[in-house]
Amino acid sequence: MAEIFDGDLEYKLATRAVHAGQTPDEMSGAIMPPVYQTSTYVQQGIGRHKGFEYARTRNPTRDTLERNIAALEGCRYGHAFSSGMAATDAMLKLFAQGDHIICGQNVYGGTHRLMSQIFERLGLNFTFLDTRDLEAVASAITPATKLIHVETPTNPMMHLTDIAGAVELARSHNVLVSVDNTFATPCLQRPFEFGADIVMHSTTKYLNGHSDVIGGILLTNNKDLSERFSFIQNSAGAIPGPWDAWLTLRGTKTLSLRMKQHDESGRLIAKWLSEHPLVKQTYYPGLPSHEQHELACRQMKGFGGMISIELGDTRRAHTLAQSTKLFSLAESLGGVESLISHPATMTHAAVPKQMRESMGLTDSLVRLSVGIEDPEDLIEDLDRAFKLAK
Ligand SMILES: *Cc1c(COP(=O)(O)O)cnc(C)c1O
């Protein structure tokens, strides 16, 4: 377990991003945390060591990353994993046969697959539902319910869940609430402020931000949960190597700056798209036309760079997704470079068509991850592609 340093939370977010969880290297004074590329640590005597025995259990580079992201989310404990899915897998290992978990229906496809195809087989029970509707959540709670897991905003429909509302419901039933905060990042949304018990991230996305590492993290303020996560980290071993931890740490230093630009450009481009004659609907929580805009303003500090658009025409959606130059056709999101994707055939191809369409994820939906390039160049790029798609 890595616990934040005393004082890490005294500073504001941009300062924490650069400094939290880090001290100059004791031996050399190196300002950057060294990459501790080692599997084991020499012990001074039997039962005498410096807190590090074997690198699956702990690694100083990984500790630094865990403290840094915990401070960004404003909590005490961080546990890094080799991918976002490994983090979710570790979270689900808190539970036992017969336990019931309520999960948003429009969560990341891999989360749905892990729950329904692996943990369901091992004896956990899941109810997937639209967590925008807290009454539906309330009526799904049973005496066996142990966790409500939500993703907000969701991918790609940009649906929001009222975190404070979900927490209030959960509290009265002794149920935990976990939030996948990958889309918003702590710059735009801090679930612990609304009482969440666990925050999960795919650090692959905005936190690392440079599309060069796969990683994940679990965060909590609860010491008991943290100890159980440490136990799972050590027992199951899905930990990141020190290089990946170091690269991710390099990424988080600029998180605050990057998110400002993703958010500024996201707003501009969402507005431009919402006024474009070929766009039937723009899904972006920052637009007043978003059906949960009021909740977005209450729960989020900004709206970020993820936008989905409904074109109402599949051929047009295909042409658009293949005609941009700056927006590259690719899965993933949250990097400095802009990406465009066609969720129905890419990220969400495994979701049955009927289920896709019931949540508005049609074959004519296109998703954008707006990068930090000049937004005028990005708009010109989209404009050119729309002309080809006409
Ligand atoms: C990518 C993603 C994940 C999975 O993370 P990996 O790092 O790819 O394993 C989970 N949740 C969300 C919202 C994601 O975007």
Side-chain angles (χ1 to χ4, degrees), residues 83-85 108 111 151 180 182-183 200 202 204-205 214-215 333:
S83 68
M85 290 326 305
Y108 179 72
T111 304
E151 201 176 298
D180 182 335
T182 300
F183 263 44
M200 173 267 161
S202 166
T204 310
K205 316 294 167 50
I214 297 283
L333 61 109

Side-chain angles (χ1 to χ4, degrees), residues 7 81 96 184 194 199 272 295 322 324 326 359:
F81 292 88
F194 302 106
V199 168
W272 182 84
L295 172 61
Q322 297 175 89
T324 48
L326 289 173
M359 57 181 151

